[in-house]
Amino acid sequence: MNDKNRVPLTSAEMAVLWTQYINDKVAICVTSYFLKKVEDEEIKPIIETALNASKKNIVTLNELFKKEKFPVPIGFTKDDVNENAPRLFSDTFALMYIRYMSILGMPASGIAIGVATRDDVVVFFKSVLKEAVVLQDLTTKLMLKQGVYVKPPYISNPDKVEYVKKQSFLAGFVGDIRPLTVQEIMMLFNNIQTNAVGKALIIAFAQTSKNKEVKQYFLRGKQIAQKHIDVFSNILKKEDLPAPMTWDNAVTDSTTPVFSDKLMMFHISAMIAAGIGNYGTSMSASPRRDLGIKYASLIPEIALYAEDGANIMIKNGWLEEPPQADDRNHLIKRE
């Protein structure tokens, strides 16, 4: 393709490529540490697959950025991880972590494919999506084999197909409150699991951070995650449905720093962003008023927590700026 016919990256393509680069840099740091510590010979190949996928993505992105004369993001490097630190997580948690990240990666890749128009960008994200699907498949099968996969609750098959006949279908506080729908159960279960993974990470980060402000921030996050786990678990228990377990015991008693405060803060911020998205989706899939209001009341709490985290990152020079539109007012006023 000659220069006259070269199609520049759209803002949407810049957004998804930049984000993918940063996320893969985090993934390389985390999975490199997991690989250094793993003892389970069944889990090790899956960690290697995840690590190699992220490394391959970074190579592709570096080539694309270079071709486009696009500044390569800094992201995270080997200086952000101490691979020689003592074990901080169990092998099972590493497996669960990779599964959770693959779950996040699939819809993100789907969105990227949907907003991209350039063939090379679409092809790249199709590859990323395929890798996420493979990791999801590998982790799920091994967790089932090892007996550590926690399935959503079973319920009885419906007797027949029916239409909603009463407005009470939407009620949730007083009167004739209906049982949870399968969509509502799925969302509650998923939000408990994601908070449980986040809580375990936050515990590990709080144990190993030497920055007092960052440590206090993580302790606050631990309390918020537990509160949300309790809220969702209690809703399931009131319906005589089981709630999934937490992963607190998957964190060892090590206090030796593994990851930089910069990486840990970014990682938690990214998980909060995913959590807010999950809550929004859960609201739309939960017709019962009490559930919608519950999700709506929890979103501001984690949004404020995310903002406080961003302020800590800005204060310490850890928050890398994404590409931005031209500031026309600044350009016009410049002498």
Side-chain angles (χ1 to χ4, degrees):
M1 182 184 290
N2 58 46
D3 289 339
K4 287 185 178 180
N5 295 323
R6 180 182 290 277
V7 178
L9 293 170
T10 66
S11 56
E13 289 165 340
M14 288 183 185
V16 292
L17 291 168
W18 187 91
T19 301
Q20 185 67 39
Y21 187 92
I22 300 294
N23 288 340
D24 274 316
K25 281 289 192 174
V26 173
I28 289 172
C29 290
V30 176
T31 51
S32 294
Y33 174 73
F34 285 161
L35 188 58
K36 192 84 170 181
K37 301 302 169 186
V38 65
E39 297 175 355
D40 189 314
E41 291 301 321
E42 291 185 307
I43 296 176
K44 184 176 181 180
I46 295 178
I47 298 175
E48 289 175 333
T49 299
L51 177 58
N52 291 335
S54 291
K55 285 183 175 180
K56 186 183 77 172
N57 291 344
I58 291 298
V59 170
T60 302
L61 288 168
N62 273 320
E63 292 173 352
L64 193 153
F65 289 149
K66 182 178 180 181
K67 182 176 71 174
E68 295 299 319
K69 296 181 174 55
F70 187 99
V72 177
I74 297 170
F76 303 91
T77 68
K78 61 182 180 179
D79 294 331
D80 291 296
V81 57
N82 176 14
E83 294 181 9
N84 296 317
R87 172 184 285 267
L88 185 57
F89 303 100
S90 70
D91 289 349
T92 301
F93 181 80
L95 187 63
M96 177 64 182
Y97 173 92
I98 292 173
R99 178 176 179 270
Y100 175 72
M101 291 305 158
S102 70
I103 291 172
L104 292 181
M106 287 187 286
S109 301
I111 291 171
I113 293 168
V115 300
T117 51
R118 270 182 39 168
D119 287 344
D120 55 345
V121 179
V122 172
V123 168
F124 170 70
F125 279 105
K126 284 182 178 179
S127 173
V128 174
L129 176 58
K130 183 179 179 180
E131 291 161 355
V133 172
V134 168
L135 284 171
Q136 164 71 1
D137 188 43
L138 290 173
T139 53
T140 299
K141 286 181 177 179
L142 185 54
M143 290 180 76
L144 285 168
K145 178 184 175 183
Q146 295 189 345
V148 294
Y149 186 97
V150 182
K151 293 183 179 181
Y154 287 98
I155 65 169
S156 301
N157 287 341
D159 296 323
K160 57 184 177 179
V161 176
E162 292 187 274
Y163 284 92
V164 175
K165 298 180 179 65
K166 297 180 180 179
Q167 292 293 326
S168 59
F169 182 82
L170 306 176
F173 295 104
V174 294
D176 186 15
I177 301 175
R178 62 161 173 80
L180 295 169
T181 66
V182 287
Q183 289 89 349
E184 291 165 344
I185 296 170
M186 176 183 68
M187 293 301 178
L188 289 165
F189 187 88
N190 181 59
N191 286 320
I192 294 170
Q193 282 202 313
T194 54
N195 273 287
V197 173
K199 183 189 172 191
L201 271 180
I202 287 177
I203 289 172
F205 291 170
Q207 280 182 196
T208 55
S209 176
K210 301 304 179 184
N211 182 306
K212 184 177 180 181
E213 186 178 25
V214 170
K215 186 182 288 287
Q216 289 300 316
Y217 179 76
F218 289 148
L219 289 173
R220 178 180 158 204
K222 172 177 171 287
Q223 294 171 348
I224 293 174
Q226 185 60 59
K227 171 188 170 182
H228 290 207
I229 290 170
D230 291 342
V231 167
F232 300 138
S233 295
N234 288 335
I235 295 172
L236 289 177
K237 290 174 182 177
K238 285 181 180 178
E239 304 275 342
D240 298 314
L241 296 169
M245 66 181 185
T246 61
W247 290 87
D248 299 5
N249 61 351
V251 181
T252 72
D253 61 357
S254 175
T255 59
T256 303
V258 176
F259 304 109
S260 68
D261 289 316
K262 172 187 173 184
L263 185 148
M264 293 189 293
M265 288 294 299
F266 173 85
H267 201 330
I268 296 304
S269 295
M271 293 189 74
I272 294 169
I276 292 173
N278 285 342
Y279 286 7
T281 301
S282 299
M283 285 177 64
S284 65
S286 303
R288 245 177 57 173
R289 291 192 191 100
D290 59 325
L291 300 180
I293 291 174
K294 184 63 68 179
Y295 286 121
S297 68
L298 296 176
I299 288 175
E301 182 177 31
I302 53 176
L304 179 59
Y305 181 64
E307 181 180 347
D308 292 342
N311 286 329
I312 293 174
M313 295 175 73
I314 292 169
K315 174 183 173 182
N316 288 279
W318 297 334
L319 188 60
E320 190 170 346
E321 285 189 6
Q324 300 176 27
D326 295 323
D327 186 341
R328 298 299 178 184
N329 288 331
H330 174 74
L331 293 172
I332 291 170
K333 293 177 181 178
R334 189 176 62 180
E335 295 182 359

